[in-house]
Amino acid sequence: MQHNLFTTMRSLKLAEGCKGTQVYALNPSAPPPPPPPGNSGGGGSGGTGGGGGVGDKLLQHLSDHLRVNSVRSKSSRTYPPPSQANAVVSPEFLLPCGLPVTDLLEPQIDLCLKFVDLVEKMAEVYRRIENCSQFEKSGAYLEQCAIFRGISDPKLFRRSLRSSRQHAVDVHAKVVLASWLRYERREDELIGTTSMDCCGRNLECPKATLVSGYEPESVYDPCVCSGASRSQMMNEDECSTSEEVDYDMSFCIGDEEVRCVRYKIASLSRPFKAMLYGGFREMKRATINFTQNGISVEGMRAAEIFSRTNRLDNFPPNVVLELLKLANRFCCDELKSACDSHLAHLVNSLDEAMLLIEYGLEEAAYLLVAACLQVFLRELPSSMHNPNVIKIFCSAEGRERLASLGHASFTLYFFLSQIAMEDDMKSNTTVMLLERLVECAVDNWEKQLAYHQLGVVMLERKEYKDAQRWFNAAVEAGHLYSLVGVARSKFKRDHRYSAYKIINSLISDHKATGWMHQERSLYCSGKEKLLDLDTATELDPTLTFPYKFRAVALVEENQFGAAIAELNKILGFKASPDCLEMRAWISIGMEDYEGALKDIRALLTLEPNFMMFNWKIHGDHMVELLRPLAQQWSQADCWMQLYDRWSSVDDIGSLAVVHHMLANDPGKSLLRFRQSLLLLRLNCQKAAMRSLRLARNHSKSEHERLVYEGWILYDTGHREEALAKAEESISIQRSFEAFFLKAYALADSTLDPDSSNYVIQLLQEALKCPSDGLRKGQALNNLGSVYVDCEKLDLAADCYTNALTIKHTRAHQGLARVYHLKNQRKAAFDEMTKLIEKAQNNASAYEKRSEYCDREMAQSDLSLATQLDPLRTYPYRYRAAVLMDDHKESEAIDELSRAISFKPDLQLLHLRAAFYDSMGEGAAAIKDCEAALCIDPGHADTLELYHKAREPNDQK
C-alpha cells in the first residue's frame, strides 16, 4: 500500500554518453580535403566524382558531421544514406583527417591490478581464503575479484563475486555485493523487470540482503522475497487488541489523552522505566503531560499499541517515523529496531529511497539506510545521473554520514567507481568516487587499486602531476605495474629519458613481461623500438598495441597489404574492437570498402557505441557512408552470405552479415540469438549476453522468450533454472530451440547411459521441429557427439555426414573422431585436412589433426596452431610432455611457463605443478597447485597433487 508520505519526484532521463576503448591519433599534417567543385572548378586529386557527384556529397556529409556532431547520444541516431548505390570515391573523402601515424600512437594503461608474478599472487590469495576466519572470507574473495578483473574471463570474476556475497555477514556488504551481482548480469536491460523484482536466487534477493548473518548454504537457494517469513512472524506475534486492557495511566498531548498500561510503557526502555517507576514525580501521577516531547497523538497511540503487541503492521509510514524519533529520544532499542526493519521493507522505488534516506541518516536507522542504498545501487547506472544520489555518494560529507552508520566501505566505492569509469573516465563524478575509494582503502591491495585507478583517471584528464603522484603512491603500496603510469606521466611532461630509465630499471630488476617491453618501446626509436615491440609480442601475444604499431608503420611505408596481414595475426584469435577499427581504417586507405564495412559492422556488434577516428565519428555513421560503396544485398542474399561464412568458419564475417540483416529487421530475435552464438565462439561473453538480452526483449511469443531467458541463466551458471525454463517453454509449444536448450544443459555433465539416451531423444525431437540449416547442423553435430560417447559409431557417422550436407563444416572434426575410433587413422587425418582447407579460422583444426599423425607432423601442426592462436593451451602441454619424455625437464617447464605468463590456465598450472613434483621441487609444485585452485578450488586432480606435495611439509 502506498502512502502520501512518498511524494513523486520528477524522473531524470539523461542520455548516456558514448563509450569506446580505442586510443588512436589522427595525422594532423594530413592535407585538407579539396574544395567543392563549385569553388575550384574541379575535384581534388585522386577524386573521381564530377561536380555535384556522390563523392562531394559524401565529403560534405562527413565534414558536417565532424563539425556539428562529434559526439552523439546513442538514443537518437538517424543518418540519411547517400543517394547513389554505385558510387566511386577517393579514400581522402572518407578520411579527411588522414590515417593514423606511429608518432602519436600509445597503449592505454590498464585500470586493473597487474603483477610481475601473477601466479604467486593467485597462490597468495588462495592461501588467504583458506586460512582466514569466516568473517574475513568475503573480503578475501573480493581481493580475488580484483585480481580476476585483470584476466579476460568474466566467469571467474562473477564466481568470486558470488563467493564474496555468499560469505558476507553484515547487511551493508550483502546489499552492495548482491547489487553488484545483479549489475554484472545487466538485468536492468530486460524489458518488464524492475530493480526490486524477485530474482529467483537468494544471493541477489533484495529482502535476503537485509538480514544479517552468515548463510553458507544460500548460494543457490530460492529467493525469499515472497514475504512468507514476514507473514509468519506477524502470525506468531499476533495478539488480540480487542480484549480488555487495564489502563492505569495516561499521556496528555495537547487536549487529548492517550491511555496506557504503565508497566508496558516502562518496558520500552530504561528512561521510561526510570520516569514511571523511579524517583521522579511522574511516578505518582495518573496523567503525564507529553506535549513538549515532539510526538503526535497518533504516534503515542501507536507506541502504546506496540508496547502491548510488538507490532507495527497497521501504522502508516509517517507514524512509524514518529515512533523512530521517539525510540531514539527515549532509547527504546526494541522499538527502534522494529521501526527500522518496518521502514526498510517499505522502500521499493528511487523516489521512496530519496525521501527516506534522509530520515534514516538523521535517526541512525541502519536497515533503513541499507534499503535506500540498495535501491540506488540496483538502479545503476541510471541512478548515477541523479544529483541527489551523486551528492550522497560522491561528497566527503556524504561519505562521512554514511560511515557514521557503517555504510561507507571500500566494497561500495569499488563498485561505484567501476561503473563511473565505464560511463565517463574523465568526469568529476569519477574522480570524486575514486577519492572516496582512497579514503576507504585499508588493506594493501585496496590502496594499490585505489591509487592506481585514480592515477589512470588523472592521466586521462591530462593532469599529469596529480597522475604521477597517485601512481607513485600505488608503487609505494607495492603495485609495480604503476611504474608504467609514473613513466607515462613523466613522458607527457617531456621527461622522455627519465621515463625510459624507470621502465629499463624495472626490466633489469624483475623477470621481464610483455607489458614492460611494450611500455619501454614508447621511449625508444628506430630498431630499438621495433625490437621491444617484437619482444612484447613474443612474451605476451595478446597485447594489441604492438600489432597496431607495426601495422601503421607499414602503412607509412605504403605497404597496405602487409599492414592488413599484421592485424590479421591478432584478429585471428582475439576479436579486438580497436584492431577491427584499425583494419577498417587501413582498408579505406587502400579502397577496400567491402572489407572496411565488414570490420565496422563487426566492431559495432562488439561495442554498439564505438566512436571512430579518435572519437570524432560514430561507427553507425561510417556504415551509412560506406554502404553505397559496397555490394548491395537483399535479406535473401544476406542469408546466403551467412550460410557461406558460417560454413567457412568466418566468425567476423558472419557477425558483419548478421549486423547488416538486423539493420533491416532490428526486432528479429532469431538473428539476435544467432549473433550471441557467434560472439560466444569469439569469446566475447559480455557482448554475447547483450545480444541474448535483446533477443529476449524482442521475442514475439512466450515460449520463445522463455528459451532466451533459459540461455541467459545457463550462460551465467544457473543450469537448473535454465532447464526449468526449457521445460516451461516446451509445455507451451514444442520448438527446436527449447528441445536444444534442454538437451544442451543436460549434456553439460557426466552422462550415464539413461541420461545419454534421454539427451538423444531430446535432440531427435528438436530435429523434428522447424528450424534453419545452421541450427539443425549444430543439433546433428551434437547428436553425433552423444552417439560417439555411447559407442554408437555408425549412427554418429550418419549424423556428421548429414550435418556436412547442410554445410556444417565443423562436423568434419566429429567424423574424423569416428574414423579414429574405428582405427582408420588416415581417413581421420584426411577429414581434418578438409576442415583446414574450408575453415578461415583453423587453429583448432590443426590442433585436432595433430592427434591423427606421427610425432613430427603433429609437432608441425601444433606449431601452426600456436602461431594462429597462441591462446590454445593443448599445443604447449603436448610439447612440454614430449620434452619431459625426452628428459628435458627445464625446457618442458619453460614451454609451460611461456604460456602461463599471459594465460594462467588451470590445465597448464596443474601440469607444471606435476612436473615440479616429479623433479622434487615441492615449493614450486605447491605454488602452482595453489594458483590452479584459485581458479577452480574443486579441481580433484589438483587437490590430490596439492596434498601430496604438502605431505613432507605437514610431517615436519
Side-chain angles (χ1 to χ4, degrees), residues 48-69:
T48 58
V54 171
D56 299 321
K57 292 180 182 178
L58 286 171
L59 171 61
Q60 188 62 44
H61 198 52
L62 179 57
S63 299
D64 290 345
H65 178 87
L66 289 171
R67 185 180 68 252
V68 179
N69 294 320

Side-chain angles (χ1 to χ4, degrees), residues 21-89:
T21 59
Q22 71 279 24
V23 180
Y24 296 144
L26 300 174
N27 186 352
S29 62
N39 294 334
S40 64
S45 61
T48 58
V54 171
D56 299 321
K57 292 180 182 178
L58 286 171
L59 171 61
Q60 188 62 44
H61 198 52
L62 179 57
S63 299
D64 290 345
H65 178 87
L66 289 171
R67 185 180 68 252
V68 179
N69 294 320
S70 61
V71 178
R72 289 191 178 190
S73 165
K74 68 180 181 181
S75 61
S76 58
R77 291 188 194 98
T78 54
Y79 305 118
S83 56
Q84 294 184 25
N86 297 316
V88 179
V89 297

Side-chain angles (χ1 to χ4, degrees), residues 835-886:
L835 177 56
I836 289 169
E837 292 169 351
K838 291 181 182 179
Q840 183 165 317
N841 299 318
N842 52 18
S844 63
Y846 277 111
E847 179 183 298
K848 197 65 182 176
R849 191 176 73 171
S850 70
E851 299 178 22
Y852 310 134
C853 51
D854 58 41
R855 176 182 282 195
E856 185 177 346
M857 185 67 183
Q859 291 274 35
S860 175
D861 275 355
L862 291 174
S863 178
L864 268 172
T866 298
Q867 182 181 334
L868 294 170
D869 184 355
L871 291 175
R872 302 192 72 83
T873 62
Y874 174 75
Y876 301 99
R877 290 186 279 129
Y878 178 90
R879 288 189 291 265
V882 170
L883 288 166
M884 282 297 285
D885 287 344
D886 294 340

